[in-house]
Amino acid sequence: MRIIRFLDNNSQIVLAALTDQEEVYPIPFKDFMELVNLAEKSGISTLKLVETSISGVTALKERVEDLQLIVPIEAPEVWASGVTYEKSRDARNYEATGGKVDVETCYDKVYDAERPEIFFKSTAARTVGPNTPVYLRSDSNWQIPEPEVALVISKSGKIVGYTAGNDMSSRDIEGENPLYLPQAKIWKHSCSVGPAIRLAETVDDPYNFQITCRIYRNNKLVVEGTANTSQLKRKFDELVSFLEKDNDIFDGTVLMTGTCIVPPNEFTLQDNDQIEIEVSTIGVLSNPVKEQQRSKEAVK
């Protein structure tokens, strides 16, 4: 069972259940966390509350593809984990050393360390949902999407859902100096989440999500890669435990868990590219790419 949000014909936000048979049922809750919290307060599972809510209700005639989907949760904060896959470590090393393979960097150290890399990624205002443009940073010349499985977390640190995420990244900025990480990661529309939230209790094995990333240019597939969460170096609960340390976690916080799909080193996103991030049993997160006007101080 998945949860989506969409705009109806009156531009009103509707929360809905999306079954594995692709049937859409509106449910009478304000947002995802209200659903989760009411289920917990009632002493039942979130799945049971959803099933009770749609019992006897007729599914919408519209297909999910025909709905105007929006971000499935307005996360107060989005955090991200880095260097959680070997492929990510290797890519960061390439950026930091200019392609050298025999130099140990901070990325090697964090890959093997007890403490993971966790950084702030986005706020609700900077995060977009399906089919909304993600923006290119105007002072970067080497930018890529980072397709990831993202965790939806309650204020108690419980993983209550899984979704797909795109951690847009500027490889040249981070490669120049790791202290530039916030600038390499955070800007307007630099984060997308969706299209749906898979209820955590309906996931048999979270370390068997298949992730696929496709990038289209002029309607032609130019990049495609796949990975599986079985390749993760760390466990999801481990990442959440470090995020929680001496920190307030807000209901509906999203934590991205790292990428294992990196486009070829000579590739950079361009205006009007189309990014598709598919996570098995969750759906396809699709976003067009939009170029922002370059400032006079932009890097040449």
Side-chain angles (χ1 to χ4, degrees):
M1 186 72 73
R2 291 161 290 171
I3 303 298
I4 59 173
R5 294 199 312 159
F6 66 91
L7 297 179
D8 65 15
N9 293 333
N10 297 315
S11 297
Q12 298 298 304
I13 297 174
V14 179
L15 192 74
L18 176 61
T19 70
D20 291 341
Q21 292 73 42
E22 300 298 312
E23 296 173 320
V24 179
Y25 294 88
I27 51 178
F29 304 99
K30 180 179 67 175
D31 55 37
F32 178 72
M33 289 311 302
E34 181 183 65
L35 167 68
V36 170
N37 290 330
L38 181 58
E40 183 176 358
K41 184 177 179 180
S42 303
I44 60 176
S45 69
T46 305
L47 176 61
K48 181 63 175 178
L49 181 54
V50 171
E51 291 174 337
T52 300
S53 299
I54 68 176
S55 178
V57 177
T58 302
L60 295 182
K61 294 181 180 179
E62 295 93 336
R63 301 180 307 166
V64 66
E65 294 85 358
D66 300 325
L67 298 175
Q68 188 178 346
L69 296 180
I70 59 176
V71 64
I73 187 168
E74 293 185 3
E77 294 182 345
V78 179
W79 294 77
S81 310
V83 200
T84 55
Y85 291 88
E86 184 177 353
K87 185 71 173 289
S88 177
R89 179 201 63 187
D90 294 345
R92 301 294 85 78
N93 279 341
Y94 184 94
E95 297 159 12
T97 66
K100 296 178 182 178
V101 296
D102 57 350
V103 178
E104 186 178 79
T105 72
C106 60
Y107 301 108
D108 291 293
K109 293 179 180 179
V110 77
Y111 183 75
D112 294 323
E114 177 184 357
R115 182 186 298 272
E117 177 192 14
I118 295 178
F119 56 90
F120 189 78
K121 172 63 186 180
S122 190
T123 59
R126 295 182 178 91
T127 304
V128 299
N131 306 314
T132 302
V134 289
Y135 290 163
L136 295 174
R137 190 177 172 104
S138 64
D139 57 352
S140 169
N141 295 307
W142 190 13
Q143 298 179 73
I144 61 169
E146 292 194 6
E148 311 188 12
V149 169
L151 316 175
V152 181
I153 307 168
S154 72
K155 61 184 178 183
S156 65
K158 180 180 179 181
I159 299 171
V160 294
Y162 299 91
T163 189
N166 179 1
D167 171 20
M168 292 282 287
S169 297
S170 299
R171 295 188 69 180
D172 50 352
I173 294 177
E174 183 176 0
E176 183 178 349
N177 192 316
L179 293 180
Y180 295 160
L181 179 66
Q183 297 173 79
K185 293 288 188 177
I186 305 171
W187 65 90
K188 183 169 56 177
H189 287 212
S190 63
C191 175
S192 63
V193 172
I197 299 172
R198 165 70 63 175
L199 297 181
E201 64 203 87
T202 68
V203 176
D204 293 330
D205 182 5
Y207 303 103
N208 194 29
F209 281 120
Q210 188 71 14
I211 310 167
T212 303
C213 180
R214 307 177 191 91
I215 303 174
Y216 296 88
R217 182 167 295 163
N218 299 321
N219 296 317
K220 294 180 62 176
L221 181 65
V222 292
V223 172
E224 183 173 23
T226 61
N228 191 282
T229 49
S230 63
Q231 297 168 267
L232 266 168
K233 173 73 179 295
R234 301 179 186 270
K235 298 297 185 183
F236 293 144
D237 288 338
E238 175 189 359
L239 296 174
V240 173
S241 72
F242 276 93
L243 179 61
E244 284 185 294
K245 288 184 185 296
D246 298 302
N247 193 17
D248 289 328
I249 304 299
F250 305 108
D251 255 355
T253 292
V254 168
L255 174 60
M256 296 195 183
T257 59
T259 191
C260 190
I261 302 174
V262 181
N265 292 320
E266 64 274 12
F267 177 85
T268 187
L269 288 167
Q270 295 182 9
D271 189 39
N272 295 320
D273 283 354
Q274 186 77 22
I275 304 167
E276 288 185 356
I277 296 172
E278 181 174 1
V279 179
S280 58
T281 77
I282 292 175
V284 179
L285 174 61
S286 182
N287 297 102
V289 177
K290 182 178 178 181
E291 186 177 57
Q292 299 187 78
Q293 185 176 359
R294 284 179 172 266
S295 66
K296 293 180 180 180
E297 296 78 20
V299 175
K300 296 180 180 181

mmCIF file of all heavy atoms in Angstrom, residues 27-29 34-40 42 44-55 199 201:
data_model
loop_
_atom_site.group_PDB
_atom_site.id
_atom_site.type_symbol
_atom_site.label_atom_id
_atom_site.label_comp_id
_atom_site.label_asym_id
_atom_site.label_seq_id
_atom_site.Cartn_x
_atom_site.Cartn_y
_atom_site.Cartn_z
ATOM 1 N N ILE A 27 -8.622 9.309 0.915
ATOM 2 C CA ILE A 27 -8.794 8.975 2.327
ATOM 3 C C ILE A 27 -8.915 10.272 3.129
ATOM 4 O O ILE A 27 -8.313 11.287 2.777
ATOM 5 C CB ILE A 27 -7.645 8.095 2.866
ATOM 6 C CG1 ILE A 27 -6.285 8.695 2.538
ATOM 7 C CG2 ILE A 27 -7.755 6.681 2.301
ATOM 8 C CD1 ILE A 27 -5.101 7.900 3.083
ATOM 9 N N PRO A 28 -9.707 10.257 4.222
ATOM 10 C CA PRO A 28 -10.086 11.499 4.912
ATOM 11 C C PRO A 28 -9.070 11.973 5.950
ATOM 12 O O PRO A 28 -9.391 12.118 7.127
ATOM 13 C CB PRO A 28 -11.409 11.098 5.584
ATOM 14 C CG PRO A 28 -11.213 9.650 5.919
ATOM 15 C CD PRO A 28 -10.411 9.078 4.772
ATOM 16 N N PHE A 29 -7.842 12.214 5.496
ATOM 17 C CA PHE A 29 -6.809 12.687 6.404
ATOM 18 C C PHE A 29 -6.108 13.882 5.781
ATOM 19 O O PHE A 29 -5.999 13.982 4.551
ATOM 20 C CB PHE A 29 -5.807 11.579 6.725
ATOM 21 C CG PHE A 29 -6.450 10.339 7.281
ATOM 22 C CD1 PHE A 29 -6.710 9.250 6.460
ATOM 23 C CD2 PHE A 29 -6.836 10.288 8.606
ATOM 24 C CE1 PHE A 29 -7.320 8.115 6.962
ATOM 25 C CE2 PHE A 29 -7.457 9.154 9.121
ATOM 26 C CZ PHE A 29 -7.702 8.064 8.290
ATOM 27 N N GLU A 34 -0.616 12.657 9.840
ATOM 28 C CA GLU A 34 -1.878 12.577 10.589
ATOM 29 C C GLU A 34 -2.420 11.157 10.532
ATOM 30 O O GLU A 34 -2.893 10.620 11.537
ATOM 31 C CB GLU A 34 -2.906 13.544 10.019
ATOM 32 C CG GLU A 34 -4.233 13.521 10.775
ATOM 33 C CD GLU A 34 -5.285 14.430 10.172
ATOM 34 O OE1 GLU A 34 -5.716 14.155 9.027
ATOM 35 O OE2 GLU A 34 -5.661 15.400 10.845
ATOM 36 N N LEU A 35 -2.320 10.525 9.371
ATOM 37 C CA LEU A 35 -2.726 9.137 9.207
ATOM 38 C C LEU A 35 -1.914 8.217 10.111
ATOM 39 O O LEU A 35 -2.474 7.383 10.846
ATOM 40 C CB LEU A 35 -2.549 8.736 7.735
ATOM 41 C CG LEU A 35 -2.618 7.250 7.387
ATOM 42 C CD1 LEU A 35 -4.024 6.715 7.592
ATOM 43 C CD2 LEU A 35 -2.159 7.022 5.939
ATOM 44 N N VAL A 36 -0.602 8.368 10.092
ATOM 45 C CA VAL A 36 0.281 7.517 10.897
ATOM 46 C C VAL A 36 0.008 7.701 12.385
ATOM 47 O O VAL A 36 -0.094 6.730 13.145
ATOM 48 C CB VAL A 36 1.760 7.827 10.567
ATOM 49 C CG1 VAL A 36 2.693 7.129 11.557
ATOM 50 C CG2 VAL A 36 2.094 7.418 9.141
ATOM 51 N N ASN A 37 -0.120 8.945 12.807
ATOM 52 C CA ASN A 37 -0.305 9.220 14.236
ATOM 53 C C ASN A 37 -1.660 8.761 14.747
ATOM 54 O O ASN A 37 -1.777 8.285 15.887
ATOM 55 C CB ASN A 37 -0.107 10.710 14.502
ATOM 56 C CG ASN A 37 1.343 11.146 14.349
ATOM 57 O OD1 ASN A 37 2.263 10.366 14.584
ATOM 58 N ND2 ASN A 37 1.554 12.389 13.942
ATOM 59 N N LEU A 38 -2.694 8.882 13.928
ATOM 60 C CA LEU A 38 -4.016 8.412 14.343
ATOM 61 C C LEU A 38 -4.029 6.894 14.485
ATOM 62 O O LEU A 38 -4.636 6.348 15.410
ATOM 63 C CB LEU A 38 -5.084 8.866 13.350
ATOM 64 C CG LEU A 38 -6.519 8.448 13.690
ATOM 65 C CD1 LEU A 38 -6.928 8.965 15.060
ATOM 66 C CD2 LEU A 38 -7.491 8.940 12.620
ATOM 67 N N ALA A 39 -3.350 6.210 13.567
ATOM 68 C CA ALA A 39 -3.269 4.755 13.662
ATOM 69 C C ALA A 39 -2.570 4.337 14.951
ATOM 70 O O ALA A 39 -3.037 3.442 15.668
ATOM 71 C CB ALA A 39 -2.532 4.191 12.446
ATOM 72 N N GLU A 40 -1.460 5.010 15.258
ATOM 73 C CA GLU A 40 -0.726 4.683 16.483
ATOM 74 C C GLU A 40 -1.580 4.964 17.718
ATOM 75 O O GLU A 40 -1.617 4.155 18.662
ATOM 76 C CB GLU A 40 0.570 5.490 16.539
ATOM 77 C CG GLU A 40 1.437 5.165 17.745
ATOM 78 C CD GLU A 40 2.761 5.893 17.729
ATOM 79 O OE1 GLU A 40 3.025 6.628 16.747
ATOM 80 O OE2 GLU A 40 3.528 5.739 18.691
ATOM 81 N N SER A 42 -4.747 4.886 17.911
ATOM 82 C CA SER A 42 -5.852 3.926 17.940
ATOM 83 C C SER A 42 -5.384 2.511 18.227
ATOM 84 O O SER A 42 -6.213 1.593 18.350
ATOM 85 C CB SER A 42 -6.614 3.963 16.609
ATOM 86 O OG SER A 42 -7.089 5.266 16.326
ATOM 87 N N ILE A 44 -3.667 0.542 16.199
ATOM 88 C CA ILE A 44 -3.728 -0.328 15.031
ATOM 89 C C ILE A 44 -2.612 0.068 14.071
ATOM 90 O O ILE A 44 -1.989 1.129 14.211
ATOM 91 C CB ILE A 44 -5.092 -0.257 14.313
ATOM 92 C CG1 ILE A 44 -5.369 1.184 13.832
ATOM 93 C CG2 ILE A 44 -6.200 -0.753 15.220
ATOM 94 C CD1 ILE A 44 -6.645 1.329 13.020
ATOM 95 N N SER A 45 -2.364 -0.764 13.080
ATOM 96 C CA SER A 45 -1.340 -0.443 12.102
ATOM 97 C C SER A 45 -1.861 0.625 11.137
ATOM 98 O O SER A 45 -3.080 0.781 10.949
ATOM 99 C CB SER A 45 -0.941 -1.692 11.322
ATOM 100 O OG SER A 45 -2.000 -2.114 10.476
ATOM 101 N N THR A 46 -0.931 1.328 10.523
ATOM 102 C CA THR A 46 -1.328 2.325 9.518
ATOM 103 C C THR A 46 -2.039 1.641 8.360
ATOM 104 O O THR A 46 -3.028 2.159 7.834
ATOM 105 C CB THR A 46 -0.090 3.083 9.017
ATOM 106 O OG1 THR A 46 0.611 3.647 10.123
ATOM 107 C CG2 THR A 46 -0.491 4.199 8.069
ATOM 108 N N LEU A 47 -1.562 0.479 7.973
ATOM 109 C CA LEU A 47 -2.204 -0.266 6.888
ATOM 110 C C LEU A 47 -3.650 -0.590 7.235
ATOM 111 O O LEU A 47 -4.548 -0.438 6.407
ATOM 112 C CB LEU A 47 -1.426 -1.551 6.598
ATOM 113 C CG LEU A 47 -2.042 -2.484 5.546
ATOM 114 C CD1 LEU A 47 -2.149 -1.778 4.202
ATOM 115 C CD2 LEU A 47 -1.222 -3.767 5.422
ATOM 116 N N LYS A 48 -3.888 -1.017 8.466
ATOM 117 C CA LYS A 48 -5.250 -1.364 8.879
ATOM 118 C C LYS A 48 -6.156 -0.145 8.821
ATOM 119 O O LYS A 48 -7.308 -0.230 8.381
ATOM 120 C CB LYS A 48 -5.224 -1.944 10.299
ATOM 121 C CG LYS A 48 -6.607 -2.349 10.812
ATOM 122 C CD LYS A 48 -7.215 -3.465 9.981
ATOM 123 C CE LYS A 48 -8.535 -3.932 10.569
ATOM 124 N NZ LYS A 48 -9.170 -4.993 9.734
ATOM 125 N N LEU A 49 -5.658 1.011 9.251
ATOM 126 C CA LEU A 49 -6.460 2.225 9.209
ATOM 127 C C LEU A 49 -6.785 2.611 7.771
ATOM 128 O O LEU A 49 -7.909 3.037 7.468
ATOM 129 C CB LEU A 49 -5.728 3.364 9.917
ATOM 130 C CG LEU A 49 -6.463 4.707 9.981
ATOM 131 C CD1 LEU A 49 -7.858 4.564 10.581
ATOM 132 C CD2 LEU A 49 -5.645 5.734 10.754
ATOM 133 N N VAL A 50 -5.821 2.447 6.878
ATOM 134 C CA VAL A 50 -6.073 2.746 5.469
ATOM 135 C C VAL A 50 -7.123 1.790 4.911
ATOM 136 O O VAL A 50 -8.079 2.218 4.235
ATOM 137 C CB VAL A 50 -4.776 2.648 4.646
ATOM 138 C CG1 VAL A 50 -5.082 2.750 3.148
ATOM 139 C CG2 VAL A 50 -3.791 3.734 5.051
ATOM 140 N N GLU A 51 -6.971 0.510 5.195
ATOM 141 C CA GLU A 51 -7.921 -0.475 4.689
ATOM 142 C C GLU A 51 -9.328 -0.220 5.206
ATOM 143 O O GLU A 51 -10.314 -0.358 4.476
ATOM 144 C CB GLU A 51 -7.454 -1.883 5.054
ATOM 145 C CG GLU A 51 -6.202 -2.312 4.303
ATOM 146 C CD GLU A 51 -5.670 -3.664 4.780
ATOM 147 O OE1 GLU A 51 -5.975 -4.063 5.925
ATOM 148 O OE2 GLU A 51 -4.942 -4.306 4.004
ATOM 149 N N THR A 52 -9.427 0.176 6.478
ATOM 150 C CA THR A 52 -10.735 0.505 7.043
ATOM 151 C C THR A 52 -11.323 1.737 6.364
ATOM 152 O O THR A 52 -12.534 1.794 6.083
ATOM 153 C CB THR A 52 -10.607 0.760 8.560
ATOM 154 O OG1 THR A 52 -10.100 -0.416 9.193
ATOM 155 C CG2 THR A 52 -11.954 1.116 9.174
ATOM 156 N N SER A 53 -10.486 2.704 6.070
ATOM 157 C CA SER A 53 -10.945 3.961 5.476
ATOM 158 C C SER A 53 -11.461 3.782 4.055
ATOM 159 O O SER A 53 -12.345 4.528 3.614
ATOM 160 C CB SER A 53 -9.813 4.992 5.481
ATOM 161 O OG SER A 53 -9.384 5.271 6.801
ATOM 162 N N ILE A 54 -10.909 2.816 3.321
ATOM 163 C CA ILE A 54 -11.335 2.635 1.924
ATOM 164 C C ILE A 54 -12.332 1.504 1.759
ATOM 165 O O ILE A 54 -12.822 1.255 0.648
ATOM 166 C CB ILE A 54 -10.115 2.398 1.003
ATOM 167 C CG1 ILE A 54 -9.445 1.054 1.301
ATOM 168 C CG2 ILE A 54 -9.118 3.541 1.120
ATOM 169 C CD1 ILE A 54 -8.280 0.729 0.357
ATOM 170 N N SER A 55 -12.665 0.841 2.855
ATOM 171 C CA SER A 55 -13.633 -0.255 2.787
ATOM 172 C C SER A 55 -14.998 0.283 2.357
ATOM 173 O O SER A 55 -15.523 1.235 2.948
ATOM 174 C CB SER A 55 -13.757 -0.944 4.149
ATOM 175 O OG SER A 55 -14.732 -1.971 4.103
ATOM 176 N N LEU A 199 4.110 2.313 2.614
ATOM 177 C CA LEU A 199 4.026 2.083 4.049
ATOM 178 C C LEU A 199 5.118 1.110 4.475
ATOM 179 O O LEU A 199 5.279 0.047 3.883
ATOM 180 C CB LEU A 199 2.658 1.535 4.435
ATOM 181 C CG LEU A 199 1.450 2.435 4.177
ATOM 182 C CD1 LEU A 199 0.170 1.740 4.644
ATOM 183 C CD2 LEU A 199 1.613 3.774 4.869
ATOM 184 N N GLU A 201 5.398 -0.906 6.884
ATOM 185 C CA GLU A 201 4.949 -2.238 7.312
ATOM 186 C C GLU A 201 4.612 -3.155 6.140
ATOM 187 O O GLU A 201 4.445 -4.367 6.327
ATOM 188 C CB GLU A 201 3.739 -2.105 8.225
ATOM 189 C CG GLU A 201 2.529 -1.514 7.550
ATOM 190 C CD GLU A 201 1.561 -0.882 8.522
ATOM 191 O OE1 GLU A 201 1.718 0.299 8.861
ATOM 192 O OE2 GLU A 201 0.660 -1.613 8.949
#
